[in-house]
Amino acid sequence: MVFEPKILGFLCNWCSYAGADLAGVSRIQYPTNVRVIRVMCSGRVDPVFIAEAFMNGIDGVLVLGCHLGDCHYISGNYEAELKMKMLSKTLSMISFSDRVRLDWVSAAEGNRFAQIVRDFTEHIRKLGPSPVKNKKIKKEIIDNLNAVKFALCDTRLRALVARQRELTTEGNVYGEIIPTEEFEEILDNAIENEIIRHKIIEKIKKEGKSVPDIAKEIEVEPHKVLHHIVTLRARGLVDVDQINEEIPTFKSIKEV
Amino acid sequence: MSKNLKRVMVIGGGIAGIQASLDLAERGIKVELIEKNACIGGRMAQLDKTFPTNDCSICILAPKLAECSRHPNITLHTLSEVKNLSGQPRNFNVKIFKKARYVKEDECINCGLCIEKCPMRVDDEFDMKLRKRRAIYIDYVQGVPSIMRIDRKNCLLFTKDACRICEKVCEREAIDFDQKDEELELNVGSIIVATGYDIFDPKTLGSLGYGRYPNVVTALEFERLICASGPLDGHLKRPSDKNDPKKLAFINCVGSRDIKNNPYCSSCCCMYTTKEAMIAYEHDNEIDTSIFYIDLRAAGKGFREYIQRGCDDYAIKYIKGKVAKILEDDQKNPLIVYEDITTSQVKQLKFDLVILATSMIPKKDAGNLAKILGIKINDFNFFKANSYQPQISSKEGIFLCGACREPMDIPSSVVDASGAAAKAAEIVMRG
Amino acid sequence: MSDEAIRIGVFICHCGTNIGGVLDIPELTEYTKTLPNVVYSAANLYTCSEVGLSEIRENIKEHNLNRVIVASCSPRTHEPLFRSTCQEAGLNPYLFEMVNIRDQDSWVHMKEPEKGTEKAKDLIRMGVYKAALLESLEKMQVSVIPSAIVIGGGIAGMNAALNLANQNFKVSLIEKDSELGGLLRYLNKVYPTNEDASNLLETRNLVENHKKIDVYKSAVIEKIEGYVGNFKVIILQNKKIIEIEAGAIIVATGAKALSPEGYYNYNGKNIISQLELEGLLKENSINTNNITMIQCVGCRNEERKYCSNICCMTALKNAILLKEQNPDANVTIIFRDLQTQGVAYEEYYRRAREMGILFINYLPEKPPIIKKDHIEVYNEFMNQGIGVPYDLLVLSMPLIANEDSEQLAKMLKVPLEENNFFLEAHVKLRPVDFATDGIFVCGSAHWPADISESISQSNAAASRASTIISKEMLEVEGSTAEINTDLCVGCEACIKICPYSAISRDEETDTVVVNKVVCKGCGVCGASCPQNAITIHHFTSDQITAEIVTYGGG
């Protein structure tokens, strides 16, 4: 049987949704695989939604907005672009970034909409079903996606993305403009850190573990793990569990 | 002393009349909307799609119809015509003749039982006589108000004093053969005329074979033929043999730009023939279309690009040529004989189906209405408009909008209608 | 409401055969009945018809529905209708949800009816899960300033101002130039009656002397703030800052003629533009015998694809005037397609031909070639160039958008189309409205328009504006953003990110708040808030997540 991908599409009301309607009015035929959630603006699409979609077994997600410069809300699609970039970086750490695509469709582009749906459906078909559907590795994949979701919910990371345009164009409160490359580096680090932190929490949910043990389990150098443990303690997510022979073990103390 | 009545009469419930009514109603002015037919919607309701966006016509019209019938400031008078006018601007007195519907407006729920049982089969005017309707019917399925009417000319009770089946089957006892035509008097401060247009009858041009050759149809017939809710459910067939037509020809300026018929340009045909060709192509990508034209008139916003799209994406061939006549071969294929304007050569081409872009002409009774209202008509029987304030008629307090003053497309009619509303508001709201 | 059990009614539309001819509606109706919280599910032939609407109203009452779903066409066209139908039956309009099974299903999967039906099931289920989480929202009432601002004092702007003033509204007319009149000032006569342009310029006196109109000349717009019903325009006039308030704004900034420099050996002497010809005709200083005009100069080409609408009639008018002045003159118009639609204009064209004006068609791939004393125009029939002598060559230049349109569009937050003319809300049915409430457009700012068209449109824009400023109060959309002050840590990321400056810090309470009247409900702030402290009403994270989860899990 041919694999029929389950695809979710987020379409902005003013351009892409209208473009999809136009495809309908023009009777342009395209694959039936996409289910559309209408949002007023592509900038409304919280990256967390997409992590949620993958956790629920959806094979691919399309986010479509007005062409850059045409946003009904002036700059919403630029924000969408930044969010999706961040999401893509995050997803690439668990080999999922291929399953999400951001593109632009105007209200006059019924054909383009249909073509994007055709291409993306074919692309996902080639990739095969989401690994979430594979029973053998499901747990591992869900853990990974949970780590992604954790990162996407993280206050600091979200604040960074929310401020990206401001910080890279207008500058911070001291008027310092952060060069884009530098910003990307900061963002990359932040994403990596959040994903590792979540992995740490996952490992110490049930029982306390020592830094060397955690380091071994998640394959990260012990000094880095210690650094993350300090941060997570400061956030009130982790605390000392016991001290055995002067080696402390840590345990997560709050459901996240 | 004249009263300043903050009330406006709109004559005609097509897109122009609807837009004018809605604007005025939203402006807080009471509107008496007079419609000759049983439903509002006018010509736009008959169209399949509209250029240059190709939105489905009824889809964008339907919400407006509903809004019009629901708006607390609009009183809808269907089956009604203006019979007399007296008074002066800010205080007109209008006599309305309202034909009996023979169906109680409050009782009918448009269930359609009566239609099913009515024994009469009559040409359906809304579908350009391309299918039959009954003697009890609704103008068109999405029509507003969505209630039945009985056509007195064809109903057996009135013609032969027999039948009464509809009365028996109606579960809501909505049929009322005792209804009488009524006359009512309305007091308004200003009047907007939005009575629209008729279609030129190409039978008078014998050389094109319309009426004799089954595969020569008018553009409005074509709209119904390709419309999903039309007589063919949107599956285009040619009338003679019900085969899928593959070669279409549109002839522009039929009856227009023609000294012997209508010397004026009908304004919309270059655009709507392109639209119809595009829709036909969307139905069937093997369709090959030629459009015969004299000048391609596409000056509106985005129109020129639309024509270009027709060439590039819909395989439409535009032929600058004057059609001399249409012949028919033994397979009933129309043969177009035309003069190629660029080379002055006479050529002949064979098609499966020919569509005539017939001109928009004044309403048959325009002259009569002009007389009643005391407004002037121009040389061609359109209501005479001021050259630079085109919504102004020859009489103070009476305004014009839409194709009753000159052939025009939907966007222009909507602009015109809002404009006429502003002029009427100027009269009734002036301090 | 929260304690009440959720009771969802689902209305599935056949749309004649549009949906019913492809999707299996009985199956959808039965399937829908199996979904949680659905207490009623039925199909209609046309849900949007008065019958369908009354079925919605009746069933809300009969089945005590507190959520309504219509599965039919696009919410973009029909949501308002169904919402108000719910409202008429006493249901809060925001408890309505629409599912698109026509434009995005039956119409695009005509050859795959089974898969299309499966898709429709998913879509309806997603709608049902969202509907269960919908909340009642109230439309806010805002007061309206009963006056209008018209930007641009050409014939369109003046006429719009005059109409509104005659309707008893106060109008502020803002003109960047030192006098009113716009392009009309440079014209000699106007078609189709050939009366003096100066007669129409009389409008200036009516406008300047109208007690309801304030005219601001030599005024530069510095800033535009506010929202429908409550705009504030800040202008700079004679080094003074003036604040003008109004409930609606009409954009009537016009257009300008493309410069003829660089086209067909233009020299400003014997090769001039049509606008320059108007000036010469005004001065009555033409005494040449061979006058030739070329149409579509600098337009209908790759760079400017559009037809500028007014040039054919302008050329005809000037050709007729020249011929009237000097019947022996040879006047030739080299054209592509003559745009003289309608009754009066076609008549005008016929008159021109009868007067002996010569018309020669040219092909864009073989444009006329300018020689020293004649023009060579390629003739397809003869397959060679024919020579047309000229003493005076007149180039018909298109109208192009003003260069300050972009800046004005930014200030108004309204869009421009590709040629930088202002883009209306809908080509067919909202030709003078912007998508942004309370702002309207008319005349050549929208698209090249002649006098009669400009006046028509200005009347229309005035009418549309009057529908707003005639109201004491306006209702504002309920689906806006709201900040949960308990979760908000005051980082102000949202203040920076909001394109409408709808979010600010309330100095009194020291909290971050949303101005619901300005908020457009785009939801960007909600997707960005580091604390997840912003609810985007009607598109809440919970609602969207419910749709995702049921699609994934189904």
Side-chain angles (χ1 to χ4, degrees):
Chain A
M1 210 176 81
V2 192
F3 158 56
E4 284 300 345
K6 210 171 216 193
I7 296 169
L8 180 66
F10 287 100
L11 270 58
C12 81
N13 182 62
W14 305 97
C15 297
S16 310
Y17 198 90
D21 279 351
L22 179 64
V25 171
S26 322
R27 308 295 192 281
I28 301 166
Q29 307 294 301
Y30 56 81
T32 58
N33 304 59
V34 180
R35 311 290 179 264
V36 166
I37 292 180
R38 182 176 66 112
V39 285
M40 295 315 278
C41 177
S42 54
R44 167 69 187 109
V45 181
D46 193 320
V48 176
F49 296 160
I50 293 160
E52 198 73 57
F54 289 135
M55 289 171 81
N56 281 282
I58 287 164
D59 299 304
V61 180
L62 268 177
V63 179
L64 302 179
C66 309
H67 285 270
L68 289 173
D70 289 357
C71 178
H72 183 80
Y73 302 107
I74 303 165
S75 54
N77 51 359
Y78 286 100
E79 295 299 334
E81 196 180 31
L82 297 178
K83 287 188 177 67
M84 291 305 129
K85 256 194 194 143
M86 184 271 279
L87 174 74
S88 171
K89 280 176 196 279
T90 315
L91 288 173
S92 67
M93 302 189 72
I94 63 162
S95 311
F96 253 85
S97 58
D98 247 12
R99 294 184 178 274
V100 55
R101 185 177 293 176
L102 172 72
D103 214 327
W104 319 119
V105 172
S106 84
E109 291 176 333
N111 262 315
R112 181 183 164 84
F113 173 77
Q115 197 52 45
I116 287 173
V117 171
R118 275 183 219 123
D119 291 348
F120 191 67
T121 307
E122 229 17 73
H123 165 73
I124 298 292
R125 212 192 294 279
K126 282 207 189 101
L127 277 184
S130 158
V132 171
K133 289 174 184 162
N134 184 336
K135 288 211 176 85
K136 275 187 218 149
I137 51 167
K138 180 169 180 177
K139 165 131 192 0
E140 187 198 333
I141 300 292
I142 294 281
D143 278 353
N144 282 343
L145 283 165
N146 258 319
V148 164
K149 194 175 156 189
F150 177 82
L152 298 175
C153 289
D154 177 62
T155 310
R156 279 142 289 254
L157 192 56
R158 288 176 74 92
L160 263 182
V161 178
R163 287 237 133 102
Q164 181 167 353
R165 273 194 331 137
E166 180 195 342
L167 294 174
T168 54
T169 57
E170 292 166 39
N172 60 16
V173 280
Y174 307 107
E176 297 167 328
I177 290 179
I178 304 173
T180 309
E181 300 93 63
E182 204 175 303
F183 187 89
E184 300 262 328
E185 212 179 299
I186 297 171
L187 195 62
D188 286 346
N189 281 331
I191 292 169
E192 199 183 331
N193 289 340
E194 287 312 315
I195 292 204
I196 294 172
R197 282 166 196 160
H198 185 262
K199 284 185 174 167
I200 293 173
I201 289 173
E202 282 294 309
K203 296 296 172 196
I204 57 174
K205 246 185 186 163
K206 293 202 184 91
E207 46 171 342
K209 282 174 190 167
S210 70
V211 170
D213 286 347
I214 300 168
K216 214 182 276 172
E217 280 189 46
I218 63 165
E219 295 169 9
V220 175
E221 292 162 60
H223 75 272
K224 283 190 181 163
V225 173
L226 182 62
H227 194 84
H228 290 309
I229 291 279
V230 172
T231 309
L232 289 169
R233 268 188 86 180
R235 289 192 203 165
L237 296 173
V238 163
D239 206 353
V240 176
D241 187 34
Q242 299 172 341
I243 301 183
N244 297 330
E245 299 164 16
E246 288 179 22
I247 299 175
T249 61
F250 298 92
K251 199 177 173 201
S252 94
I253 52 169
K254 209 164 126 191
E255 197 60 37
V256 282
Chain B
M1 202 185 84
S2 74
K3 285 189 285 182
N4 188 356
L5 284 167
K6 290 187 173 52
R7 186 180 292 270
V8 173
M9 174 172 290
V10 177
I11 309 174
I15 183 61
I18 287 170
Q19 183 62 42
S21 301
L22 287 174
D23 267 19
L24 288 165
E26 279 295 299
R27 165 75 177 82
I29 294 169
K30 297 275 183 203
V31 176
E32 306 285 349
L33 176 55
I34 311 295
E35 169 58 49
K36 191 170 69 173
N37 289 323
C39 293
I40 55 170
R43 291 282 178 207
M44 189 175 165
Q46 287 181 290
L47 304 182
D48 181 38
K49 304 247 173 85
T50 57
F51 63 79
T53 45
N54 288 8
D55 313 71
C56 133
S57 188
I58 191 69
C59 302
I60 55 175
L61 178 65
K64 292 217 177 241
L65 299 177
E67 217 182 319
C68 224
S69 78
R70 277 203 322 255
H71 204 291
N73 284 345
I74 300 175
T75 310
L76 187 54
H77 305 270
T78 51
L79 293 166
S80 297
E81 282 178 72
V82 173
K83 279 290 157 229
N84 190 38
L85 172 76
S86 57
Q88 55 282 314
R90 285 177 265 281
N91 190 10
F92 284 121
N93 216 303
V94 194
K95 256 200 199 114
I96 301 296
F97 179 78
K98 187 175 168 65
K99 273 196 242 164
R101 188 183 273 272
Y102 305 111
V103 175
K104 294 177 197 155
E105 299 199 2
D106 306 335
E107 288 302 325
C108 174
I109 56 160
N110 190 18
C111 68
L113 268 180
C114 52
I115 298 184
E116 239 171 76
K117 297 289 188 280
C118 174
M120 286 303 294
R121 300 288 184 280
V122 190
D123 281 344
D124 188 334
E125 299 88 346
F126 182 85
D127 268 325
M128 303 306 292
K129 307 188 175 176
L130 294 166
R131 67 171 149 194
K132 300 287 179 187
R133 61 162 173 84
R134 310 299 168 96
I136 184 163
Y137 69 109
I138 180 159
D139 286 1
Y140 58 104
V141 274
Q142 305 95 326
V144 168
S146 61
I147 42 181
M148 299 297 152
R149 63 164 306 187
I150 290 171
D151 159 18
R152 195 186 160 130
K153 264 210 311 273
N154 292 294
C155 172
L156 285 174
L157 182 79
F158 294 100
T159 53
K160 303 213 165 80
D161 198 18
C163 191
R164 282 185 183 267
I165 290 177
C166 54
E167 198 177 27
K168 283 171 211 132
V169 297
C170 182
E171 291 169 351
R172 299 184 61 100
E173 298 179 5
I175 310 295
D176 178 4
F177 287 112
D178 297 329
Q179 271 185 10
K180 293 275 175 291
D181 296 344
E182 292 172 76
E183 255 190 27
L184 49 151
E185 266 190 53
L186 296 169
N187 225 225
V188 295
S190 175
I191 295 171
I192 294 175
V193 184
T195 47
Y197 63 98
D198 276 335
I199 306 286
F200 172 74
D201 180 4
K203 269 194 201 115
T204 58
L205 301 173
S207 58
L208 296 184
Y210 177 81
R212 280 181 289 133
Y213 305 151
N215 296 325
V216 177
V217 301
T218 68
L220 199 54
E221 286 167 353
F222 189 75
E223 291 278 346
R224 297 313 303 154
L225 290 177
I226 47 174
C227 181
S229 56
L232 298 177
D233 294 327
H235 303 297
L236 180 63
K237 306 274 176 219
R238 64 177 205 162
S240 70
D241 49 17
K242 306 285 174 257
N243 283 337
D244 293 355
K246 298 290 177 192
K247 277 194 77 168
L248 304 187
F250 289 86
I251 302 177
N252 285 354
C253 304
V254 174
S256 337
R257 302 187 68 188
D258 171 353
I259 296 289
K260 281 183 232 134
N261 290 287
N262 308 300
Y264 55 84
C265 160
S266 198
S267 289
C268 323
C269 320
C270 291
M271 289 298 289
Y272 76 62
T273 50
T274 298
K275 173 199 74 181
E276 290 179 357
M278 283 180 173
I279 303 168
Y281 183 85
E282 278 167 4
H283 283 231
D284 178 356
N285 287 354
E286 285 169 16
I287 283 182
D288 180 48
T289 303
S290 301
I291 296 180
F292 292 85
Y293 72 99
I294 303 173
D295 289 283
L296 267 182
R297 293 196 168 153
K301 194 171 187 171
F303 286 11
R304 189 49 67 179
E305 290 87 334
Y306 187 78
I307 302 271
Q308 195 57 46
R309 258 174 65 209
C311 290
D312 298 344
D313 304 340
Y314 294 87
I316 302 172
K317 283 196 281 290
Y318 290 93
I319 300 175
K320 200 171 170 75
K322 261 191 188 140
V323 173
K325 59 184 168 185
I326 298 179
L327 306 171
E328 191 183 60
D329 70 9
D330 50 9
Q331 260 100 51
K332 301 212 175 293
N333 295 312
L335 306 168
I336 293 184
V337 181
Y338 70 101
E339 180 202 350
D340 186 324
I341 296 181
T342 40
T343 62
S344 292
Q345 284 170 305
V346 175
K347 297 177 179 172
Q348 181 175 315
L349 281 171
K350 187 175 93 175
F351 294 94
D352 296 335
L353 185 65
V354 172
I355 299 106
L356 308 179
T358 43
S359 41
M360 295 160 80
I361 58 171
K363 277 283 186 199
K364 206 167 56 233
D365 53 2
N368 190 30
L369 184 60
K371 234 179 253 160
I372 294 170
L373 297 176
I375 58 176
K376 287 196 180 121
I377 49 176
N378 66 18
D379 294 346
F380 311 103
N381 268 355
F382 289 107
F383 298 119
K384 192 174 169 57
N386 179 295
S387 291
Y388 302 103
Q389 283 275 0
Q391 289 96 20
I392 292 184
S393 77
S394 61
K395 183 166 171 173
E396 198 199 343
I398 299 184
F399 302 97
L400 311 170
C401 63
C404 71
R405 70 166 179 87
E406 174 166 41
M408 65 176 76
D409 60 16
I410 298 170
S412 304
S413 298
V414 171
V415 166
D416 226 25
S418 282
K423 298 309 285 179
E426 211 175 37
I427 293 280
V428 299
M429 301 308 288
R430 184 168 263 163
Chain C
M1 192 81 218
S2 56
D3 296 336
E4 207 184 322
I6 306 286
R7 298 178 63 80
I8 303 176
V10 183
F11 298 83
I12 303 172
C13 181
H14 277 94
C15 196
T17 54
N18 282 303
I19 299 171
V22 178
L23 307 183
D24 186 339
I25 304 267
E27 190 181 326
L28 287 179
T29 315
E30 286 314 303
Y31 170 77
T32 304
K33 286 178 184 158
T34 67
L35 296 173
N37 301 314
V38 173
V39 297
Y40 178 81
S41 163
N44 315 102
L45 186 57
Y46 290 97
T47 313
C48 66
S49 67
E50 198 41 55
V51 191
L53 300 180
S54 59
E55 267 179 50
I56 295 177
R57 283 188 289 258
E58 283 157 21
N59 283 296
I60 288 175
K61 293 203 173 109
E62 194 180 326
H63 295 279
N64 212 6
L65 303 177
N66 55 23
R67 302 287 190 284
V68 167
I69 294 176
V70 171
S72 61
C73 49
S74 174
R76 289 175 53 255
T77 50
H78 283 66
E79 191 178 64
L81 174 69
F82 294 128
R83 271 188 177 175
S84 53
T85 306
C86 289
Q87 196 164 23
E88 284 158 14
L91 191 66
N92 183 287
Y94 293 94
L95 297 176
F96 169 77
E97 178 66 16
M98 199 157 167
V99 178
N100 187 335
I101 58 167
R102 189 189 69 183
D103 303 42
Q104 297 184 16
D105 194 342
S106 69
W107 276 355
V108 291
H109 308 311
M110 295 163 93
K111 288 163 196 150
E112 299 177 283
E114 276 154 34
K115 284 183 179 173
T117 304
E118 287 312 304
K119 176 172 173 176
K121 283 183 185 172
D122 283 343
L123 292 172
I124 293 173
R125 190 174 71 253
M126 289 159 78
V128 166
Y129 274 81
K130 180 177 181 185
L133 297 174
L134 288 174
E135 19 165 41
S136 295
L137 298 172
E138 292 315 318
K139 289 196 171 181
M140 242 178 66
Q141 300 270 329
V142 277
S143 61
V144 177
I145 302 166
S147 62
I149 290 170
V150 178
I151 306 174
I155 188 69
M158 288 194 295
N159 190 69
L162 206 53
N163 178 276
L164 285 170
N166 286 342
Q167 289 193 49
N168 255 329
F169 295 112
K170 195 177 154 292
V171 184
S172 304
L173 179 60
I174 302 170
E175 169 56 49
K176 67 179 172 187
D177 230 328
S178 58
E179 58 172 0
L180 297 177
L183 279 181
L184 187 58
R185 287 172 297 166
Y186 309 113
L187 301 188
N188 169 40
K189 304 214 171 190
V190 292
Y191 60 80
T193 59
N194 291 1
E195 75 181 86
D196 278 341
S198 57
N199 294 348
L200 284 164
L201 268 179
E202 290 295 307
T203 314
R204 289 198 291 203
N205 301 334
L206 297 175
V207 167
E208 305 220 34
N209 296 328
H210 204 296
K211 61 179 192 299
K212 286 272 184 184
I213 304 177
D214 293 332
V215 180
Y216 300 88
K217 287 182 278 198
S218 306
V220 181
I221 297 180
E222 293 283 305
K223 205 171 168 196
I224 300 172
E225 296 174 355
Y227 45 89
V228 57
N230 296 273
F231 289 106
K232 194 200 284 175
V233 175
I234 294 152
I235 60 167
L236 184 64
Q237 188 193 37
N238 301 327
K239 295 182 186 153
K240 261 194 350 221
I241 294 281
I242 304 169
E243 272 187 28
I244 311 169
E245 293 189 327
I249 296 177
I250 294 176
V251 177
T253 47
K256 60 169 196 175
L258 175 67
S259 159
E261 291 287 349
Y263 290 98
Y264 292 110
N265 305 351
Y266 167 82
N267 57 21
K269 293 182 193 113
N270 68 332
I271 304 181
I272 61 172
S273 75
Q274 200 70 250
L275 197 59
E276 286 167 327
L277 175 64
E278 296 271 347
L280 296 179
L281 284 164
K282 247 186 192 181
E283 295 159 11
N284 213 354
S285 60
I286 294 182
N287 43 16
T288 47
N289 263 331
N290 297 310
I291 303 140
T292 300
M293 300 177 181
I294 303 180
Q295 298 303 103
C296 303
V297 180
C299 66
R300 292 186 64 190
N301 56 16
E302 267 313 302
E303 190 194 352
R304 238 168 258 106
K305 294 202 176 75
Y306 65 92
C307 157
S308 159
N309 190 22
I310 64 165
C311 330
C312 283
M313 280 300 289
T314 306
L316 282 177
K317 172 192 70 183
N318 290 336
I320 287 175
L321 292 173
L322 286 164
K323 199 77 181 165
E324 275 173 356
Q325 259 181 26
N326 176 9
D328 296 329
N330 299 311
V331 183
T332 309
I333 297 180
I334 303 175
F335 73 105
R336 288 182 57 187
D337 290 279
L338 229 5
Q339 304 296 319
T340 57
Q341 40 273 83
V343 176
Y345 293 1
E346 179 71 14
E347 184 88 357
Y348 203 77
Y349 176 27
R350 191 173 321 104
R351 206 171 116 207
R353 278 181 313 204
E354 281 165 7
M355 287 174 83
I357 293 161
L358 190 64
F359 291 87
I360 302 177
N361 201 215
Y362 78 94
L363 299 169
E365 54 275 19
K366 298 215 166 124
I369 300 161
I370 312 302
K371 298 282 164 84
K372 197 165 186 308
D373 56 354
H374 74 280
I375 304 159
E376 222 171 80
V377 192
Y378 173 77
N379 181 281
E380 208 183 342
F381 181 46
M382 290 163 27
N383 194 22
Q384 64 177 58
I386 45 174
V388 182
Y390 72 91
D391 311 320
L392 182 64
L393 177 61
V394 184
L395 308 178
S396 283
M397 309 307 299
L399 284 183
I400 59 170
N402 281 322
E403 56 276 270
D404 50 8
S405 315
E406 246 172 291
Q407 207 190 339
L408 183 60
K410 278 216 177 86
M411 284 196 277
L412 287 164
K413 294 170 185 133
V414 298
L416 299 174
E417 48 84 92
E418 55 183 329
N419 305 302
N420 272 1
F421 292 106
F422 285 91
L423 182 63
E424 66 277 29
H426 191 275
V427 195
K428 310 285 309 182
L429 296 185
R430 293 180 68 194
V432 299
D433 296 27
F434 280 113
T436 308
D437 296 338
I439 311 179
F440 306 93
V441 63
C442 59
S444 294
H446 163 265
W447 191 248
D450 63 24
I451 309 291
S452 153
E453 287 167 330
S454 293
I455 290 177
S456 255
Q457 291 172 19
S458 66
N459 286 337
S463 174
R464 303 294 302 147
S466 77
T467 63
I468 288 171
I469 59 177
S470 61
K471 294 188 173 75
E472 271 173 42
M473 299 294 250
L474 274 183
E475 269 193 347
V476 175
E477 261 307 301
S479 48
T480 51
E482 185 177 354
I483 296 176
N484 181 338
T485 42
D486 291 342
L487 292 178
C488 175
V489 294
C491 76
E492 298 193 358
C494 54
I495 297 184
K496 292 278 183 186
I497 221 165
C498 175
Y500 298 102
S501 315
I503 311 180
S504 58
R505 182 175 284 279
D506 182 342
E507 297 301 336
E508 243 170 72
T509 57
D510 198 30
T511 51
V512 179
V513 291
V514 177
N515 177 351
K516 295 203 163 203
V517 184
V518 182
C519 176
K520 291 266 162 205
C522 68
V524 176
C525 57
S528 310
C529 175
Q531 302 294 331
N532 260 314
I534 304 179
T535 305
I536 307 301
H537 287 296
H538 211 62
F539 292 91
T540 68
S541 297
D542 285 352
Q543 291 162 359
I544 292 173
T545 307
E547 288 184 85
I548 296 169
V549 171
T550 186
Y551 173 38

